[in-house]
PDB file of all heavy atoms in Angstrom:
ATOM      1  N   SER B 942     -57.457 -49.375  22.676  1.00 92.00           N
ATOM      2  CA  SER B 942     -56.252 -49.088  21.927  1.00 92.00           C
ATOM      3  C   SER B 942     -55.393 -47.991  22.552  1.00 92.00           C
ATOM      4  O   SER B 942     -54.369 -47.659  22.009  1.00 92.00           O
ATOM      5  CB  SER B 942     -56.605 -48.605  20.460  1.00 92.00           C
ATOM      6  OG  SER B 942     -57.493 -47.554  20.521  1.00 92.00           O
ATOM      7  N   LYS B 943     -55.803 -47.506  23.683  1.00 94.00           N
ATOM      8  CA  LYS B 943     -55.080 -46.461  24.438  1.00 94.00           C
ATOM      9  C   LYS B 943     -54.897 -46.905  25.843  1.00 94.00           C
ATOM     10  O   LYS B 943     -55.590 -47.675  26.444  1.00 94.00           O
ATOM     11  CB  LYS B 943     -55.856 -45.143  24.408  1.00 94.00           C
ATOM     12  CG  LYS B 943     -56.268 -44.644  23.053  1.00 94.00           C
ATOM     13  CD  LYS B 943     -55.109 -44.175  22.260  1.00 94.00           C
ATOM     14  CE  LYS B 943     -55.570 -43.670  20.908  1.00 94.00           C
ATOM     15  NZ  LYS B 943     -54.410 -43.405  19.951  1.00 94.00           N
ATOM     16  N   TYR B 944     -53.854 -46.310  26.486  1.00 96.00           N
ATOM     17  CA  TYR B 944     -53.616 -46.495  27.903  1.00 96.00           C
ATOM     18  C   TYR B 944     -54.799 -45.937  28.680  1.00 96.00           C
ATOM     19  O   TYR B 944     -55.430 -44.939  28.331  1.00 96.00           O
ATOM     20  CB  TYR B 944     -52.347 -45.842  28.390  1.00 96.00           C
ATOM     21  CG  TYR B 944     -51.088 -46.609  27.957  1.00 96.00           C
ATOM     22  CD1 TYR B 944     -50.029 -46.002  27.270  1.00 96.00           C
ATOM     23  CD2 TYR B 944     -50.932 -47.991  28.304  1.00 96.00           C
ATOM     24  CE1 TYR B 944     -48.885 -46.705  26.892  1.00 96.00           C
ATOM     25  CE2 TYR B 944     -49.780 -48.657  27.989  1.00 96.00           C
ATOM     26  CZ  TYR B 944     -48.793 -48.055  27.282  1.00 96.00           C
ATOM     27  OH  TYR B 944     -47.655 -48.757  26.962  1.00 96.00           O
ATOM     28  N   VAL B 945     -55.052 -46.595  29.853  1.00 97.00           N
ATOM     29  CA  VAL B 945     -56.115 -46.065  30.789  1.00 97.00           C
ATOM     30  C   VAL B 945     -55.405 -45.469  31.984  1.00 97.00           C
ATOM     31  O   VAL B 945     -54.375 -45.966  32.501  1.00 97.00           O
ATOM     32  CB  VAL B 945     -57.007 -47.187  31.208  1.00 97.00           C
ATOM     33  CG1 VAL B 945     -58.027 -46.744  32.216  1.00 97.00           C
ATOM     34  CG2 VAL B 945     -57.752 -47.819  29.985  1.00 97.00           C
ATOM     35  N   TYR B 946     -56.033 -44.356  32.426  1.00 98.00           N
ATOM     36  CA  TYR B 946     -55.458 -43.722  33.640  1.00 98.00           C
ATOM     37  C   TYR B 946     -56.630 -43.601  34.595  1.00 98.00           C
ATOM     38  O   TYR B 946     -57.832 -43.405  34.229  1.00 98.00           O
ATOM     39  CB  TYR B 946     -54.968 -42.249  33.269  1.00 98.00           C
ATOM     40  CG  TYR B 946     -53.910 -42.380  32.276  1.00 98.00           C
ATOM     41  CD1 TYR B 946     -54.208 -42.391  30.931  1.00 98.00           C
ATOM     42  CD2 TYR B 946     -52.533 -42.364  32.631  1.00 98.00           C
ATOM     43  CE1 TYR B 946     -53.192 -42.431  29.975  1.00 98.00           C
ATOM     44  CE2 TYR B 946     -51.523 -42.407  31.672  1.00 98.00           C
ATOM     45  CZ  TYR B 946     -51.874 -42.500  30.309  1.00 98.00           C
ATOM     46  OH  TYR B 946     -50.855 -42.512  29.362  1.00 98.00           O
ATOM     47  N   TRP B 947     -56.297 -43.706  35.913  1.00 98.00           N
ATOM     48  CA  TRP B 947     -57.340 -43.539  36.936  1.00 98.00           C
ATOM     49  C   TRP B 947     -56.919 -42.361  37.852  1.00 98.00           C
ATOM     50  O   TRP B 947     -55.732 -42.281  38.251  1.00 98.00           O
ATOM     51  CB  TRP B 947     -57.443 -44.789  37.800  1.00 98.00           C
ATOM     52  CG  TRP B 947     -58.063 -45.963  37.040  1.00 98.00           C
ATOM     53  CD1 TRP B 947     -57.481 -46.892  36.276  1.00 98.00           C
ATOM     54  CD2 TRP B 947     -59.456 -46.223  36.990  1.00 98.00           C
ATOM     55  NE1 TRP B 947     -58.389 -47.791  35.717  1.00 98.00           N
ATOM     56  CE2 TRP B 947     -59.594 -47.424  36.176  1.00 98.00           C
ATOM     57  CE3 TRP B 947     -60.621 -45.694  37.577  1.00 98.00           C
ATOM     58  CZ2 TRP B 947     -60.876 -47.958  35.934  1.00 98.00           C
ATOM     59  CZ3 TRP B 947     -61.858 -46.292  37.319  1.00 98.00           C
ATOM     60  CH2 TRP B 947     -61.952 -47.407  36.521  1.00 98.00           C
ATOM     61  N   TYR B 948     -57.906 -41.600  38.248  1.00 98.00           N
ATOM     62  CA  TYR B 948     -57.719 -40.437  39.108  1.00 98.00           C
ATOM     63  C   TYR B 948     -58.602 -40.539  40.372  1.00 98.00           C
ATOM     64  O   TYR B 948     -59.720 -40.973  40.186  1.00 98.00           O
ATOM     65  CB  TYR B 948     -57.915 -39.089  38.411  1.00 98.00           C
ATOM     66  CG  TYR B 948     -57.051 -38.862  37.307  1.00 98.00           C
ATOM     67  CD1 TYR B 948     -57.346 -39.367  35.977  1.00 98.00           C
ATOM     68  CD2 TYR B 948     -55.841 -38.224  37.448  1.00 98.00           C
ATOM     69  CE1 TYR B 948     -56.491 -39.115  34.912  1.00 98.00           C
ATOM     70  CE2 TYR B 948     -54.943 -38.012  36.355  1.00 98.00           C
ATOM     71  CZ  TYR B 948     -55.283 -38.487  35.140  1.00 98.00           C
ATOM     72  OH  TYR B 948     -54.414 -38.282  34.063  1.00 98.00           O
TER      73      TYR B 948
END
Side-chain angles (χ1 to χ4, degrees):
Chain B
S942 56
K943 305 290 182 191
Y944 283 126
V945 175
Y946 303 83
W947 290 90
Y948 297 89

